Amino acid sequence: RPSAERTIVAREHLAAVQAAVNRLSHRQRACFLLRFVEAMTLEEIAETLQLEVGTVKAHLSRAVGAVRRQLQGRERQCEDI
């Protein structure tokens, strides 16, 4: 059973991820959620959003990079405390 501290940290991390995803553009957020929450293939996402597969790849790349940068920035802020 996880400790109370681990549970709090996990909830804070989830909240940070949700906030980072919410900051994405509409298209980036849609691609990100369809890929990582709904586990859709690139082709399925392209068909659903009526985009080219290459466009989906570009949106996903930008979305993952933006979320990663925001989470790394949060980790740096926590280290400074």
Side-chain angles (χ1 to χ4, degrees):
R1 182 176 161 173
S3 69
E5 182 179 349
R6 270 195 168 173
T7 301
I8 291 169
V9 169
R11 285 183 182 160
E12 289 174 352
H13 185 72
L14 178 59
V17 170
Q18 288 173 329
V21 170
N22 288 337
R23 288 187 197 102
L24 297 173
S25 73
H26 174 74
R27 284 283 167 93
Q28 288 176 359
R29 184 171 50 252
C31 289
F32 187 92
L33 293 175
L34 291 173
R35 181 71 170 156
F36 298 111
V37 176
E38 300 298 328
M40 292 175 76
T41 66
L42 298 176
E43 291 77 13
E44 291 169 330
I45 296 168
E47 184 177 330
T48 300
L49 299 179
Q50 297 180 334
L51 300 170
E52 297 293 326
V53 172
T55 303
V56 171
K57 287 180 181 180
H59 284 309
L60 277 173
S61 177
R62 290 184 191 112
V64 169
V67 169
R68 185 177 289 137
R69 283 189 301 277
Q70 290 178 46
L71 293 177
Q72 287 172 343
R74 180 181 176 274
E75 288 175 9
R76 281 190 217 103
Q77 288 174 348
C78 290
E79 290 171 358
D80 292 342
I81 295 175

